[in-house]
Amino acid sequence: MSEAIQYSNEKPESLEGGKQLPEPTGFKLLIALPEVEETTEAGLYIPGERRDAESVASIVGFVMKSGPDAYADSTRFPNGPWCSEGDWIVMRAYSGTRLKIHGKEFRIINDDSVEAVVDDPRGVVRA
């Protein structure tokens, strides 16, 4: 039986060279992927390669920045934005444009790619 992967719920720290974070344009969102814990809930060690693979396939992310046009179309978003900077969100695995800055993985996704907002990413895993 495979153990569930656990994510840290800590918000990403400001990065060394934080000015290197890209400014999303248009209707895009900059998402930081959560760190995968080194052990499972049962205490089993997860090798680095497996943690990297799980991070890449993550379905949760932290909204770092929003582009100037994100959620601006009131016709498409009549109830307002689906998320805000500082929210943990659920998105499809492998969605968006992947990039690494100082070894940390980020995604740039469309504003309408947000599936849900969650308080704590630790309980959210791919099925």
Side-chain angles (χ1 to χ4, degrees):
M1 177 190 291
S2 141
E3 291 290 327
I5 299 299
Q6 298 295 310
Y7 295 108
S8 167
N9 73 333
E10 295 188 21
K11 295 180 169 81
E13 308 254 337
S14 58
L15 295 170
E16 186 178 311
K19 293 191 187 299
Q20 292 181 358
L21 289 179
E23 288 295 327
T25 59
F27 52 87
K28 305 291 185 176
L29 304 173
L30 177 65
I31 307 297
L33 298 184
E35 298 292 325
V36 176
E37 298 286 348
E38 289 189 9
T39 58
T40 66
E41 200 170 88
L44 298 174
Y45 175 74
I46 303 170
E49 299 82 24
R50 172 76 177 171
R51 287 194 312 270
D52 290 345
E54 286 299 325
S55 178
V56 167
S58 177
I59 61 167
V60 293
F62 184 78
V63 181
M64 300 287 293
K65 297 181 180 184
S66 298
D69 298 325
Y71 302 114
D73 185 345
S74 60
T75 304
R76 290 187 65 206
F77 306 105
N79 297 318
W82 292 353
C83 67
S84 303
E85 291 178 15
D87 284 344
W88 285 102
I89 61 157
V90 175
M91 61 190 170
R92 291 178 185 246
Y94 307 107
S95 65
T97 302
R98 296 175 50 202
L99 56 141
K100 277 193 175 185
I101 301 171
H102 295 291
K104 175 127 180 79
E105 183 149 348
F106 294 86
R107 299 281 169 80
I108 297 176
I109 66 170
N110 294 342
D111 55 2
D112 63 357
S113 295
V114 173
E115 306 272 332
V117 174
V118 295
D119 289 330
D120 188 346
R122 292 177 294 184
V124 181
V125 294
R126 287 179 299 127

